[in-house]
Amino acid sequence: MTTLYGYFRSSAAYRVRIALNLKGLAYDQAPVNLVKGEQRGDDFLDRNPQGLVPVLETDDGQRLTQSLAICEYLEERHPDPALLPADAAGRARVRALAQLVASEIHPLNNLRVLKYLVHELEVDDTAKRAWYHHWIHEGFAALEARLTREAGTGEFCHGDTPSLADICLVPQVFNAERFDCDLSAYPTIRRIVASCRALPAFQQAAPEAQPDTT
Amino acid sequence: MTTLYGYFRSSAAYRVRIALNLKGLAYDQAPVNLVKGEQRGDDFLDRNPQGLVPVLETDDGQRLTQSLAICEYLEERHPDPALLPADAAGRARVRALAQLVASEIHPLNNLRVLKYLVHELEVDDTAKRAWYHHWIHEGFAALEARLTREAGTGEFCHGDTPSLADICLVPQVFNAERFDCDLSAYPTIRRIVASCRALPAFQQAAPEAQPDTT
């Protein structure tokens, strides 16, 4: 059986849940409570020395890390339905939109970074919020500009079926909403996220619908 | 002609230079001086609204962004020599090692983030260095653990030919050395980087060998 080590509010685990659901793959969940620090326990560090979720253990014994690498693996092993377009240029666009979220926005705003700001740099709550909002707005403004003007955009980030780009976007918007970011300047992002949220694969992957949801 | 918009010291542009060189592809360079803020000029923002290098304009008119998406595109269009192994599990491992650097280390330590620390959070030089070193050591410790204990590691991060993982690792080590990080705790990383630096493709991509090197 395929097992996903994750956490209901982890954006990276959320991405993998969406990908698994879109592909119709069954999986068990093994929650790792990041707030309680379970990711730093020996059991979990043995699975992933970086102490980060998600980790996907596949039914043939692979132990996979890093959400985008896991999604690419799922795409190669279970190509239908596709998370990447058929043409190389389209694939490059989808991967670039996904990376924009996964490499430019998310890493700056995850739990370990916010903790460092508070505990090591001793920034107050106002400055922490400003930091969070700054990177959301910088990234979403760029993403909105691309989605609005590029012909590849359809009902979803690329065309009319969900792709790896949407898999990254929806958890990031969930995260931004949790931090009360005003997303009114991003109508295309909001329209696409609404399309995604209408799909069961996204609904069933949402943080509020997981076994470890609190 | 293929044109790379980059900057000699940008880790992300450095990755693309290595990939192009490993594949033996000719390209022009169009330097974008990040210190002078040329990435925020209208000319460049039209190419990439996010104002980040690299951008690769291909000879068939594609305009590609995000270094890892560009490398994947080059891999698909010019498969030989390969930057990813042939097996899905190996490909997942290489992509995960690449993402570990590109999503967990690099985004926290690039120029725009260090500028925010100094200008918005008003941290002093000591705290800025501590921030930089913290994320390097957290990431490199995890990477070293994986490279040391996983059977996939060879002369390079995966096997005995350079891959996408090495393409990410070498610029990150260059960057860490620039900030005087002590890398003595990472003998496997240092051994692999030495192997890479012996290859002309890596030498010719190095920041000290670019047309805009200052």
Side-chain angles (χ1 to χ4, degrees):
Chain A
M1 185 65 174
T2 295
T3 302
L4 176 63
Y5 292 81
Y7 179 59
F8 74 108
R9 265 201 305 242
S10 155
S11 292
Y14 189 177
R15 291 175 199 152
V16 176
R17 292 195 300 263
I18 300 169
L20 287 162
N21 293 352
L22 283 170
K23 291 191 173 288
L25 300 170
Y27 58 102
D28 283 333
Q29 292 208 45
V32 180
N33 191 315
L34 302 188
V35 172
K36 289 186 182 163
E38 290 178 1
Q39 74 280 18
R40 291 187 297 274
D42 288 345
D43 269 11
F44 187 71
L45 285 177
D46 185 52
R47 287 199 162 76
N48 182 3
Q50 209 184 354
L52 296 176
V53 296
V55 173
L56 189 73
E57 288 184 354
T58 66
D59 45 12
D60 58 347
Q62 301 297 329
R63 186 176 289 169
L64 308 175
T65 62
Q66 293 291 338
S67 59
L68 293 190
I70 294 171
C71 290
E72 295 269 0
Y73 176 88
L74 295 174
E75 180 76 353
E76 293 184 355
R77 296 298 296 267
H78 308 278
D80 191 40
L83 304 178
L84 291 170
D87 61 307
R91 295 161 73 87
R93 179 171 183 261
V94 168
R95 287 185 173 122
L97 298 176
Q99 290 284 343
L100 195 162
V101 174
S103 299
E104 312 289 351
I105 303 175
H106 177 63
L108 295 163
N109 285 349
N110 67 14
L111 187 60
R112 66 194 179 117
V113 173
L114 299 180
K115 278 187 173 174
Y116 190 98
L117 290 177
V118 171
H119 297 303
E120 308 299 327
L121 297 181
E122 299 180 346
V123 309
D124 62 20
D125 201 55
T126 304
K128 185 180 90 165
R129 283 173 58 90
W131 164 280
Y132 187 97
H133 287 216
H134 175 80
W135 301 114
I136 285 286
H137 288 303
E138 182 152 308
F140 276 5
L143 184 60
E144 178 76 15
R146 290 196 61 163
L147 292 171
T148 304
R149 75 180 187 172
E150 291 178 359
T153 306
E155 183 181 352
F156 296 96
C157 285
H158 192 83
D160 294 327
T161 53
S163 71
L164 189 62
D166 306 289
I167 285 172
C168 290
L169 177 59
V170 167
Q172 190 62 69
V173 166
F174 165 83
N175 210 313
E177 289 170 342
R178 222 183 120 222
F179 279 81
D180 297 322
C181 287
D182 177 4
L183 302 182
S184 59
Y186 316 116
T188 310
I189 288 175
R190 288 188 293 119
R191 173 182 67 71
I192 290 169
V193 169
S195 292
C196 292
R197 286 176 172 166
L199 301 177
F202 284 83
Q203 291 163 6
Q204 289 157 13
E208 60 271 24
Q210 303 314 305
D212 57 329
T213 302
T214 55
Chain B
M1 186 65 175
T2 295
T3 302
L4 175 64
Y5 293 81
Y7 179 59
F8 73 108
R9 266 201 304 241
S10 154
S11 292
Y14 188 176
R15 292 175 198 151
V16 175
R17 294 195 299 264
I18 299 169
L20 287 162
N21 293 352
L22 282 170
K23 290 190 174 289
L25 300 170
Y27 57 103
D28 283 334
Q29 292 208 46
V32 180
N33 190 316
L34 303 188
V35 172
K36 289 186 182 164
E38 290 178 1
Q39 74 279 19
R40 290 186 298 274
D42 288 345
D43 269 12
F44 186 72
L45 285 177
D46 186 53
R47 288 200 162 76
N48 182 3
Q50 210 184 354
L52 296 176
V53 296
V55 173
L56 189 73
E57 288 184 353
T58 66
D59 45 14
D60 58 348
Q62 302 296 330
R63 185 177 289 169
L64 309 175
T65 61
Q66 293 290 339
S67 60
L68 293 190
I70 294 171
C71 290
E72 294 268 1
Y73 176 89
L74 294 175
E75 180 76 353
E76 293 184 355
R77 297 298 297 268
H78 309 278
D80 191 40
L83 304 178
L84 292 169
D87 61 308
R91 294 161 74 87
R93 179 173 184 259
V94 167
R95 286 185 174 122
L97 298 176
Q99 291 283 344
L100 195 162
V101 173
S103 299
E104 312 288 350
I105 305 175
H106 177 64
L108 295 164
N109 285 348
N110 68 14
L111 187 60
R112 67 196 178 115
V113 173
L114 300 180
K115 277 187 173 173
Y116 190 98
L117 289 177
V118 172
H119 296 303
E120 309 299 327
L121 297 182
E122 299 181 346
V123 310
D124 62 20
D125 201 54
T126 304
K128 185 180 91 166
R129 283 174 58 88
W131 164 280
Y132 186 97
H133 286 216
H134 175 81
W135 300 114
I136 286 286
H137 288 303
E138 182 151 309
F140 276 5
L143 184 61
E144 178 76 15
R146 291 196 61 164
L147 291 172
T148 303
R149 73 181 188 172
E150 291 178 0
T153 306
E155 183 181 353
F156 297 95
C157 285
H158 192 84
D160 294 326
T161 53
S163 71
L164 190 60
D166 306 289
I167 285 173
C168 290
L169 177 60
V170 167
Q172 190 62 68
V173 166
F174 166 82
N175 211 312
E177 289 171 343
R178 223 184 119 221
F179 279 80
D180 298 322
C181 288
D182 177 3
L183 302 182
S184 58
Y186 316 117
T188 311
I189 288 176
R190 288 189 292 119
R191 173 183 65 71
I192 289 169
V193 168
S195 292
C196 293
R197 286 177 171 164
L199 301 178
F202 284 83
Q203 291 164 5
Q204 289 158 13
E208 60 270 24
Q210 303 314 306
D212 58 328
T213 303
T214 55

PDB file of all heavy atoms in Angstrom, chain A residues 94-122:
ATOM      1  N   VAL A  94       4.065  24.985 -17.459  1.00  0.00           N
ATOM      2  CA  VAL A  94       3.441  24.461 -16.234  1.00  0.00           C
ATOM      3  C   VAL A  94       4.484  24.299 -15.132  1.00  0.00           C
ATOM      4  O   VAL A  94       4.260  24.687 -13.974  1.00  0.00           O
ATOM      5  CB  VAL A  94       2.729  23.131 -16.521  1.00  0.00           C
ATOM      6  CG1 VAL A  94       2.339  22.435 -15.222  1.00  0.00           C
ATOM      7  CG2 VAL A  94       1.497  23.383 -17.382  1.00  0.00           C
ATOM      8  N   ARG A  95       5.631  23.739 -15.481  1.00  0.00           N
ATOM      9  CA  ARG A  95       6.678  23.575 -14.460  1.00  0.00           C
ATOM     10  C   ARG A  95       7.162  24.919 -13.941  1.00  0.00           C
ATOM     11  O   ARG A  95       7.479  25.062 -12.759  1.00  0.00           O
ATOM     12  CB  ARG A  95       7.853  22.772 -15.029  1.00  0.00           C
ATOM     13  CG  ARG A  95       7.558  21.281 -15.197  1.00  0.00           C
ATOM     14  CD  ARG A  95       8.812  20.543 -15.656  1.00  0.00           C
ATOM     15  NE  ARG A  95       8.634  19.103 -15.687  1.00  0.00           N
ATOM     16  CZ  ARG A  95       8.805  18.346 -16.770  1.00  0.00           C
ATOM     17  NH1 ARG A  95       9.147  18.905 -17.926  1.00  0.00           N
ATOM     18  NH2 ARG A  95       8.645  17.038 -16.705  1.00  0.00           N
ATOM     19  N   ALA A  96       7.235  25.922 -14.806  1.00  0.00           N
ATOM     20  CA  ALA A  96       7.694  27.245 -14.360  1.00  0.00           C
ATOM     21  C   ALA A  96       6.678  27.871 -13.408  1.00  0.00           C
ATOM     22  O   ALA A  96       7.050  28.456 -12.385  1.00  0.00           O
ATOM     23  CB  ALA A  96       7.931  28.165 -15.561  1.00  0.00           C
ATOM     24  N   LEU A  97       5.382  27.754 -13.714  1.00  0.00           N
ATOM     25  CA  LEU A  97       4.354  28.293 -12.823  1.00  0.00           C
ATOM     26  C   LEU A  97       4.387  27.557 -11.481  1.00  0.00           C
ATOM     27  O   LEU A  97       4.251  28.163 -10.415  1.00  0.00           O
ATOM     28  CB  LEU A  97       2.965  28.181 -13.464  1.00  0.00           C
ATOM     29  CG  LEU A  97       2.753  28.964 -14.776  1.00  0.00           C
ATOM     30  CD1 LEU A  97       1.364  28.681 -15.354  1.00  0.00           C
ATOM     31  CD2 LEU A  97       2.953  30.463 -14.570  1.00  0.00           C
ATOM     32  N   ALA A  98       4.584  26.253 -11.534  1.00  0.00           N
ATOM     33  CA  ALA A  98       4.679  25.468 -10.297  1.00  0.00           C
ATOM     34  C   ALA A  98       5.889  25.907  -9.478  1.00  0.00           C
ATOM     35  O   ALA A  98       5.805  26.099  -8.258  1.00  0.00           O
ATOM     36  CB  ALA A  98       4.757  23.974 -10.622  1.00  0.00           C
ATOM     37  N   GLN A  99       7.024  26.086 -10.156  1.00  0.00           N
ATOM     38  CA  GLN A  99       8.250  26.499  -9.459  1.00  0.00           C
ATOM     39  C   GLN A  99       8.112  27.902  -8.889  1.00  0.00           C
ATOM     40  O   GLN A  99       8.690  28.214  -7.843  1.00  0.00           O
ATOM     41  CB  GLN A  99       9.454  26.455 -10.409  1.00  0.00           C
ATOM     42  CG  GLN A  99       9.896  25.070 -10.819  1.00  0.00           C
ATOM     43  CD  GLN A  99      10.663  24.342  -9.724  1.00  0.00           C
ATOM     44  OE1 GLN A  99      11.139  24.949  -8.779  1.00  0.00           O
ATOM     45  NE2 GLN A  99      10.771  23.033  -9.855  1.00  0.00           N
ATOM     46  N   LEU A 100       7.395  28.762  -9.595  1.00  0.00           N
ATOM     47  CA  LEU A 100       7.204  30.120  -9.085  1.00  0.00           C
ATOM     48  C   LEU A 100       6.607  30.048  -7.682  1.00  0.00           C
ATOM     49  O   LEU A 100       7.041  30.760  -6.770  1.00  0.00           O
ATOM     50  CB  LEU A 100       6.299  30.896 -10.041  1.00  0.00           C
ATOM     51  CG  LEU A 100       6.241  32.414  -9.902  1.00  0.00           C
ATOM     52  CD1 LEU A 100       5.673  33.062 -11.163  1.00  0.00           C
ATOM     53  CD2 LEU A 100       5.417  32.867  -8.703  1.00  0.00           C
ATOM     54  N   VAL A 101       5.638  29.196  -7.490  1.00  0.00           N
ATOM     55  CA  VAL A 101       5.043  29.034  -6.160  1.00  0.00           C
ATOM     56  C   VAL A 101       5.987  28.269  -5.234  1.00  0.00           C
ATOM     57  O   VAL A 101       6.262  28.694  -4.112  1.00  0.00           O
ATOM     58  CB  VAL A 101       3.686  28.309  -6.254  1.00  0.00           C
ATOM     59  CG1 VAL A 101       3.147  28.006  -4.861  1.00  0.00           C
ATOM     60  CG2 VAL A 101       2.690  29.139  -7.045  1.00  0.00           C
ATOM     61  N   ALA A 102       6.503  27.156  -5.730  1.00  0.00           N
ATOM     62  CA  ALA A 102       7.226  26.224  -4.850  1.00  0.00           C
ATOM     63  C   ALA A 102       8.621  26.701  -4.475  1.00  0.00           C
ATOM     64  O   ALA A 102       9.143  26.326  -3.422  1.00  0.00           O
ATOM     65  CB  ALA A 102       7.313  24.847  -5.511  1.00  0.00           C
ATOM     66  N   SER A 103       9.251  27.520  -5.339  1.00  0.00           N
ATOM     67  CA  SER A 103      10.610  27.975  -5.043  1.00  0.00           C
ATOM     68  C   SER A 103      10.683  29.439  -4.659  1.00  0.00           C
ATOM     69  O   SER A 103      11.678  29.862  -4.073  1.00  0.00           O
ATOM     70  CB  SER A 103      11.532  27.773  -6.253  1.00  0.00           C
ATOM     71  OG  SER A 103      11.619  26.423  -6.601  1.00  0.00           O
ATOM     72  N   GLU A 104       9.682  30.236  -5.016  1.00  0.00           N
ATOM     73  CA  GLU A 104       9.805  31.687  -4.798  1.00  0.00           C
ATOM     74  C   GLU A 104       8.888  32.182  -3.689  1.00  0.00           C
ATOM     75  O   GLU A 104       9.154  33.208  -3.080  1.00  0.00           O
ATOM     76  CB  GLU A 104       9.489  32.461  -6.089  1.00  0.00           C
ATOM     77  CG  GLU A 104      10.194  31.958  -7.345  1.00  0.00           C
ATOM     78  CD  GLU A 104      11.687  32.258  -7.365  1.00  0.00           C
ATOM     79  OE1 GLU A 104      12.167  32.999  -6.503  1.00  0.00           O
ATOM     80  OE2 GLU A 104      12.386  31.702  -8.244  1.00  0.00           O
ATOM     81  N   ILE A 105       7.766  31.517  -3.466  1.00  0.00           N
ATOM     82  CA  ILE A 105       6.832  31.992  -2.438  1.00  0.00           C
ATOM     83  C   ILE A 105       6.891  31.084  -1.205  1.00  0.00           C
ATOM     84  O   ILE A 105       7.222  31.518  -0.108  1.00  0.00           O
ATOM     85  CB  ILE A 105       5.374  32.030  -2.967  1.00  0.00           C
ATOM     86  CG1 ILE A 105       5.269  32.901  -4.228  1.00  0.00           C
ATOM     87  CG2 ILE A 105       4.437  32.575  -1.865  1.00  0.00           C
ATOM     88  CD1 ILE A 105       3.870  32.879  -4.860  1.00  0.00           C
ATOM     89  N   HIS A 106       6.567  29.818  -1.417  1.00  0.00           N
ATOM     90  CA  HIS A 106       6.384  28.926  -0.280  1.00  0.00           C
ATOM     91  C   HIS A 106       7.582  28.832   0.665  1.00  0.00           C
ATOM     92  O   HIS A 106       7.408  28.867   1.900  1.00  0.00           O
ATOM     93  CB  HIS A 106       5.980  27.534  -0.775  1.00  0.00           C
ATOM     94  CG  HIS A 106       5.839  26.549   0.327  1.00  0.00           C
ATOM     95  ND1 HIS A 106       4.898  26.678   1.325  1.00  0.00           N
ATOM     96  CD2 HIS A 106       6.549  25.435   0.629  1.00  0.00           C
ATOM     97  CE1 HIS A 106       5.024  25.680   2.177  1.00  0.00           C
ATOM     98  NE2 HIS A 106       6.017  24.914   1.780  1.00  0.00           N
ATOM     99  N   PRO A 107       8.832  28.703   0.149  1.00  0.00           N
ATOM    100  CA  PRO A 107       9.952  28.485   1.075  1.00  0.00           C
ATOM    101  C   PRO A 107      10.150  29.637   2.058  1.00  0.00           C
ATOM    102  O   PRO A 107      10.699  29.435   3.142  1.00  0.00           O
ATOM    103  CB  PRO A 107      11.172  28.383   0.144  1.00  0.00           C
ATOM    104  CG  PRO A 107      10.613  28.026  -1.186  1.00  0.00           C
ATOM    105  CD  PRO A 107       9.261  28.673  -1.258  1.00  0.00           C
ATOM    106  N   LEU A 108       9.714  30.831   1.684  1.00  0.00           N
ATOM    107  CA  LEU A 108       9.929  31.987   2.547  1.00  0.00           C
ATOM    108  C   LEU A 108       8.894  32.064   3.660  1.00  0.00           C
ATOM    109  O   LEU A 108       9.088  32.779   4.633  1.00  0.00           O
ATOM    110  CB  LEU A 108       9.895  33.269   1.705  1.00  0.00           C
ATOM    111  CG  LEU A 108      11.053  33.330   0.712  1.00  0.00           C
ATOM    112  CD1 LEU A 108      10.791  34.360  -0.357  1.00  0.00           C
ATOM    113  CD2 LEU A 108      12.343  33.650   1.452  1.00  0.00           C
ATOM    114  N   ASN A 109       7.803  31.364   3.500  1.00  0.00           N
ATOM    115  CA  ASN A 109       6.675  31.541   4.416  1.00  0.00           C
ATOM    116  C   ASN A 109       6.294  30.287   5.185  1.00  0.00           C
ATOM    117  O   ASN A 109       5.230  30.241   5.780  1.00  0.00           O
ATOM    118  CB  ASN A 109       5.461  32.042   3.624  1.00  0.00           C
ATOM    119  CG  ASN A 109       5.602  33.511   3.246  1.00  0.00           C
ATOM    120  OD1 ASN A 109       6.493  34.187   3.747  1.00  0.00           O
ATOM    121  ND2 ASN A 109       4.725  33.988   2.395  1.00  0.00           N
ATOM    122  N   ASN A 110       7.138  29.278   5.160  1.00  0.00           N
ATOM    123  CA  ASN A 110       6.717  28.082   5.882  1.00  0.00           C
ATOM    124  C   ASN A 110       7.058  28.182   7.370  1.00  0.00           C
ATOM    125  O   ASN A 110       7.706  29.126   7.825  1.00  0.00           O
ATOM    126  CB  ASN A 110       7.236  26.810   5.211  1.00  0.00           C
ATOM    127  CG  ASN A 110       8.728  26.700   5.299  1.00  0.00           C
ATOM    128  OD1 ASN A 110       9.368  27.406   6.059  1.00  0.00           O
ATOM    129  ND2 ASN A 110       9.301  25.806   4.510  1.00  0.00           N
ATOM    130  N   LEU A 111       6.610  27.197   8.108  1.00  0.00           N
ATOM    131  CA  LEU A 111       6.657  27.268   9.569  1.00  0.00           C
ATOM    132  C   LEU A 111       8.064  27.484  10.111  1.00  0.00           C
ATOM    133  O   LEU A 111       8.279  28.312  11.008  1.00  0.00           O
ATOM    134  CB  LEU A 111       6.043  25.967  10.129  1.00  0.00           C
ATOM    135  CG  LEU A 111       5.839  25.884  11.639  1.00  0.00           C
ATOM    136  CD1 LEU A 111       4.901  26.982  12.120  1.00  0.00           C
ATOM    137  CD2 LEU A 111       5.257  24.502  12.008  1.00  0.00           C
ATOM    138  N   ARG A 112       9.049  26.741   9.575  1.00  0.00           N
ATOM    139  CA  ARG A 112      10.390  26.841  10.155  1.00  0.00           C
ATOM    140  C   ARG A 112      10.990  28.226   9.955  1.00  0.00           C
ATOM    141  O   ARG A 112      11.746  28.722  10.788  1.00  0.00           O
ATOM    142  CB  ARG A 112      11.303  25.732   9.610  1.00  0.00           C
ATOM    143  CG  ARG A 112      11.604  25.851   8.145  1.00  0.00           C
ATOM    144  CD  ARG A 112      12.211  24.574   7.541  1.00  0.00           C
ATOM    145  NE  ARG A 112      12.434  24.780   6.124  1.00  0.00           N
ATOM    146  CZ  ARG A 112      13.625  24.756   5.532  1.00  0.00           C
ATOM    147  NH1 ARG A 112      14.700  24.474   6.230  1.00  0.00           N
ATOM    148  NH2 ARG A 112      13.735  24.975   4.241  1.00  0.00           N
ATOM    149  N   VAL A 113      10.629  28.871   8.849  1.00  0.00           N
ATOM    150  CA  VAL A 113      11.153  30.216   8.591  1.00  0.00           C
ATOM    151  C   VAL A 113      10.469  31.239   9.505  1.00  0.00           C
ATOM    152  O   VAL A 113      11.132  32.103  10.097  1.00  0.00           O
ATOM    153  CB  VAL A 113      10.957  30.592   7.107  1.00  0.00           C
ATOM    154  CG1 VAL A 113      11.340  32.044   6.866  1.00  0.00           C
ATOM    155  CG2 VAL A 113      11.788  29.659   6.231  1.00  0.00           C
ATOM    156  N   LEU A 114       9.157  31.130   9.640  1.00  0.00           N
ATOM    157  CA  LEU A 114       8.445  32.058  10.531  1.00  0.00           C
ATOM    158  C   LEU A 114       8.936  31.893  11.973  1.00  0.00           C
ATOM    159  O   LEU A 114       9.086  32.875  12.705  1.00  0.00           O
ATOM    160  CB  LEU A 114       6.937  31.823  10.424  1.00  0.00           C
ATOM    161  CG  LEU A 114       6.343  32.047   9.024  1.00  0.00           C
ATOM    162  CD1 LEU A 114       4.844  31.776   9.030  1.00  0.00           C
ATOM    163  CD2 LEU A 114       6.623  33.451   8.481  1.00  0.00           C
ATOM    164  N   LYS A 115       9.230  30.658  12.351  1.00  0.00           N
ATOM    165  CA  LYS A 115       9.776  30.424  13.692  1.00  0.00           C
ATOM    166  C   LYS A 115      11.141  31.099  13.866  1.00  0.00           C
ATOM    167  O   LYS A 115      11.442  31.657  14.917  1.00  0.00           O
ATOM    168  CB  LYS A 115       9.926  28.917  13.950  1.00  0.00           C
ATOM    169  CG  LYS A 115       8.637  28.246  14.396  1.00  0.00           C
ATOM    170  CD  LYS A 115       8.912  26.798  14.791  1.00  0.00           C
ATOM    171  CE  LYS A 115       7.665  26.160  15.400  1.00  0.00           C
ATOM    172  NZ  LYS A 115       7.852  24.723  15.659  1.00  0.00           N
ATOM    173  N   TYR A 116      11.975  31.027  12.826  1.00  0.00           N
ATOM    174  CA  TYR A 116      13.293  31.660  12.913  1.00  0.00           C
ATOM    175  C   TYR A 116      13.143  33.175  13.069  1.00  0.00           C
ATOM    176  O   TYR A 116      13.858  33.805  13.859  1.00  0.00           O
ATOM    177  CB  TYR A 116      14.122  31.332  11.662  1.00  0.00           C
ATOM    178  CG  TYR A 116      15.578  31.754  11.773  1.00  0.00           C
ATOM    179  CD1 TYR A 116      16.566  30.840  12.126  1.00  0.00           C
ATOM    180  CD2 TYR A 116      15.972  33.076  11.544  1.00  0.00           C
ATOM    181  CE1 TYR A 116      17.898  31.221  12.235  1.00  0.00           C
ATOM    182  CE2 TYR A 116      17.297  33.468  11.660  1.00  0.00           C
ATOM    183  CZ  TYR A 116      18.257  32.531  12.005  1.00  0.00           C
ATOM    184  OH  TYR A 116      19.572  32.920  12.120  1.00  0.00           O
ATOM    185  N   LEU A 117      12.215  33.752  12.332  1.00  0.00           N
ATOM    186  CA  LEU A 117      11.988  35.199  12.433  1.00  0.00           C
ATOM    187  C   LEU A 117      11.640  35.585  13.870  1.00  0.00           C
ATOM    188  O   LEU A 117      12.155  36.564  14.403  1.00  0.00           O
ATOM    189  CB  LEU A 117      10.845  35.628  11.503  1.00  0.00           C
ATOM    190  CG  LEU A 117      11.103  35.591  10.006  1.00  0.00           C
ATOM    191  CD1 LEU A 117       9.830  35.992   9.258  1.00  0.00           C
ATOM    192  CD2 LEU A 117      12.254  36.514   9.606  1.00  0.00           C
ATOM    193  N   VAL A 118      10.781  34.784  14.483  1.00  0.00           N
ATOM    194  CA  VAL A 118      10.306  35.127  15.827  1.00  0.00           C
ATOM    195  C   VAL A 118      11.369  34.823  16.884  1.00  0.00           C
ATOM    196  O   VAL A 118      11.668  35.662  17.739  1.00  0.00           O
ATOM    197  CB  VAL A 118       9.005  34.351  16.143  1.00  0.00           C
ATOM    198  CG1 VAL A 118       8.608  34.530  17.612  1.00  0.00           C
ATOM    199  CG2 VAL A 118       7.891  34.824  15.216  1.00  0.00           C
ATOM    200  N   HIS A 119      11.949  33.627  16.813  1.00  0.00           N
ATOM    201  CA  HIS A 119      12.834  33.194  17.901  1.00  0.00           C
ATOM    202  C   HIS A 119      14.258  33.718  17.761  1.00  0.00           C
ATOM    203  O   HIS A 119      14.897  34.033  18.755  1.00  0.00           O
ATOM    204  CB  HIS A 119      12.835  31.666  18.000  1.00  0.00           C
ATOM    205  CG  HIS A 119      11.491  31.106  18.351  1.00  0.00           C
ATOM    206  ND1 HIS A 119      10.808  31.470  19.483  1.00  0.00           N
ATOM    207  CD2 HIS A 119      10.684  30.234  17.698  1.00  0.00           C
ATOM    208  CE1 HIS A 119       9.645  30.838  19.529  1.00  0.00           C
ATOM    209  NE2 HIS A 119       9.541  30.088  18.457  1.00  0.00           N
ATOM    210  N   GLU A 120      14.774  33.770  16.541  1.00  0.00           N
ATOM    211  CA  GLU A 120      16.174  34.187  16.372  1.00  0.00           C
ATOM    212  C   GLU A 120      16.288  35.682  16.091  1.00  0.00           C
ATOM    213  O   GLU A 120      17.156  36.358  16.622  1.00  0.00           O
ATOM    214  CB  GLU A 120      16.836  33.392  15.232  1.00  0.00           C
ATOM    215  CG  GLU A 120      16.695  31.881  15.321  1.00  0.00           C
ATOM    216  CD  GLU A 120      17.315  31.290  16.584  1.00  0.00           C
ATOM    217  OE1 GLU A 120      18.326  31.828  17.048  1.00  0.00           O
ATOM    218  OE2 GLU A 120      16.760  30.294  17.117  1.00  0.00           O
ATOM    219  N   LEU A 121      15.442  36.180  15.222  1.00  0.00           N
ATOM    220  CA  LEU A 121      15.532  37.604  14.871  1.00  0.00           C
ATOM    221  C   LEU A 121      14.616  38.461  15.743  1.00  0.00           C
ATOM    222  O   LEU A 121      14.658  39.687  15.658  1.00  0.00           O
ATOM    223  CB  LEU A 121      15.202  37.803  13.382  1.00  0.00           C
ATOM    224  CG  LEU A 121      16.171  37.116  12.414  1.00  0.00           C
ATOM    225  CD1 LEU A 121      15.779  37.403  10.974  1.00  0.00           C
ATOM    226  CD2 LEU A 121      17.608  37.572  12.659  1.00  0.00           C
ATOM    227  N   GLU A 122      13.801  37.801  16.556  1.00  0.00           N
ATOM    228  CA  GLU A 122      12.955  38.500  17.528  1.00  0.00           C
ATOM    229  C   GLU A 122      12.082  39.570  16.881  1.00  0.00           C
ATOM    230  O   GLU A 122      11.919  40.664  17.421  1.00  0.00           O
ATOM    231  CB  GLU A 122      13.811  39.085  18.662  1.00  0.00           C
ATOM    232  CG  GLU A 122      14.567  37.983  19.416  1.00  0.00           C
ATOM    233  CD  GLU A 122      15.428  38.517  20.560  1.00  0.00           C
ATOM    234  OE1 GLU A 122      15.643  39.734  20.612  1.00  0.00           O
ATOM    235  OE2 GLU A 122      15.872  37.704  21.379  1.00  0.00           O
TER     236      GLU A 122
END
